[in-house]
Amino acid sequence: MALVFIIRQNYYGNAEEILEREAQSAANSYDRYPANSLQKNAKILLENTIRDVDAQVQVINSEGIVLADSELDELVGQKLNLPDVENSLKDKTMSKWIGKVSSTDEPIISVSYPLKSGNEVIGVLRLVSTLSRVNNEIFKIVLFFAVISFVVLSIVLVLGYFLSSTITGPVKEITVAAEKMARGELDVRVPKRYDDEVGKLAVTLNYMAKEIADHQKTKDDLIASISHELRTPLTSIKGWAATLNSGSFTDINEIREGLGIIENETDRLAFLANELLDYTKLSTKNVSIGLDIVDVGEFLCEIRNQMNPRAQRHSIDLKLELEDDLAFIKADRNRLKQVMINILDNSLKYTQEGGFIKISSQSQRDEILISIEDSGIGIPEEDLPRIKEKYYKVSTSFSGNGLGLSICDEIISLHNGRLEISSIYGEGTRVDIYLPITQRSNL
Ligand code: ADP
């Protein structure tokens, strides 16, 4: 409505302004007419005015009687009671009127301008213009806006319906599924309806549920595996304690043997507890890595010398092949030693008598590579991708909790290095450790 009002004001204002300007200029030119009566000049004034003006022109005398009319001759001689004419005669100024012609109901705008002879108002010049054309224009504009509004409204409605069915529906589905997941139903999956943000949310939620389920399974496996690991030493400790307690021993050597086993088994339990603790610390990155300068060649010699007696006991050839002039690295010497011993421990565990284990090292551009190769039982291909995962183990016939390699992996990544395992089942296993070389100037 406000729009209609503004447009109308604008259009009417324009029409009015044009009429006013024309009426003023025509009426003012009357000064230059011969000093005859208005009655005599009326015809010429009319003719002169209609040449410049696009409107109905009337010349009316001071009594309100029409002297000349450009369109309706029958009005000549009649007295018209028109508000704008009366006001103009009375106030001696221009006066305008907007209304409808009583006979035809046509909307018009009229402007009356006083005609002066000297200081005396002797009549008015009246210009009349129809408003039906303007009204028509206004109607067209309003109609145009109405159609546009209707189209926009329809688009909004359709879009709203479409959005609500593509967003609200799937979001509801996701909410229901999320609630189920929160209650522990982790096998629930949300269908992905559309390839949009909500679809991505569904995929992410499914992924989250799968991760939680996997996590829970690993935890259950761990508890089972730890219980299993605990049972063996505990059974033997309990057995020996009971036997010793029965007091029927006379041989001091037998008592020593029993106590020795109890001591060893207790060590095993302590080791297990330490390993668990260590892994928790490492995986939460809650550990600081000391940076020692490590001469890789000298370090690997030391490791070999430490492990050789065990290898000899198992008749395994523990070889060491080093490149000359190996680089220095910055690393936590004790942690690195822990990694080497862990890997060599595995190799010793899974290599048969008469086999070999080879430690080698070489510099490769800005990295140093340390490899531990063995001729052991190898790792089945299907287990290889998961071998570094925590608690993952291939064979249950060997002791171990599946933490060793994941601890090694964590330690090496804390050193910004990589640990890679390759293996051929039945032939042997190779562990490659890549560590960044520290420039001599930074040592
Ligand atoms: P664990 O402490 O149980 O040995 P690891 O993480 O060190 O755990 O090793 C995980 C699994 O990888 C082991 O259970 C074993 O089956 C396999 N594995 C590791 N090293 C070797 C190797 N050198 N030869 C054959 N199998 C290996």
Side-chain angles (χ1 to χ4, degrees), residues 29 40 65 79 92 105 152 155 165 172 191 204 212 239 279 281 284 326 341 408 416 439:
S29 71
K40 280 195 178 151
I65 294 167
K79 180 173 161 61
K92 303 181 179 177
D105 224 21
V152 169
I155 291 175
S165 61
K172 248 187 217 153
T204 314
I212 295 176
Y279 180 72
K281 271 202 286 183
T284 50
L326 270 174
I341 290 179
C408 294
N416 298 322
Q439 296 307 317

Side-chain angles (χ1 to χ4, degrees), residues 141-206:
I141 291 174
V142 171
L143 190 71
F144 174 74
F145 276 107
V147 169
I148 293 278
S149 310
F150 178 76
V151 170
V152 169
L153 204 71
S154 314
I155 291 175
V156 167
L157 281 178
V158 170
L159 217 67
Y161 176 75
F162 179 71
L163 282 184
S164 75
S165 61
T166 56
I167 294 178
T168 325
V171 165
K172 248 187 217 153
E173 260 178 355
I174 290 176
T175 314
V176 171
E179 279 165 3
K180 280 188 187 162
M181 285 170 186
R183 283 197 300 270
E185 293 176 46
L186 290 169
D187 47 352
V188 170
R189 291 291 175 268
V190 196
K192 184 184 172 190
R193 298 257 179 251
Y194 302 96
D195 202 8
D196 58 0
E197 302 303 316
V198 182
K200 266 188 220 152
L201 184 64
V203 171
T204 314
L205 198 71
N206 289 341

Side-chain angles (χ1 to χ4, degrees), residues 247-255:
S248 56
F249 283 103
T250 44
D251 188 351
I252 185 82
N253 285 334
E254 243 180 305
I255 297 177

Side-chain angles (χ1 to χ4, degrees), residues 205-264:
L205 198 71
N206 289 341
Y207 177 70
M208 185 193 81
K210 186 181 167 293
E211 284 289 294
I212 295 176
D214 284 356
H215 205 73
Q216 229 160 39
K217 187 176 177 310
T218 341
K219 250 193 193 143
D220 293 346
D221 289 354
L222 167 74
I223 292 169
S225 140
I226 292 177
S227 312
H228 180 80
E229 288 298 309
L230 290 175
R231 213 167 34 214
T232 329
L234 282 175
T235 314
S236 98
I237 292 171
K238 167 118 198 305
W240 275 100
T243 318
L244 290 174
N245 205 20
S246 68
S248 56
F249 283 103
T250 44
D251 188 351
I252 185 82
N253 285 334
E254 243 180 305
I255 297 177
R256 280 235 166 85
E257 191 197 341
L259 288 174
I261 290 176
I262 290 178
E263 199 182 342
N264 280 343

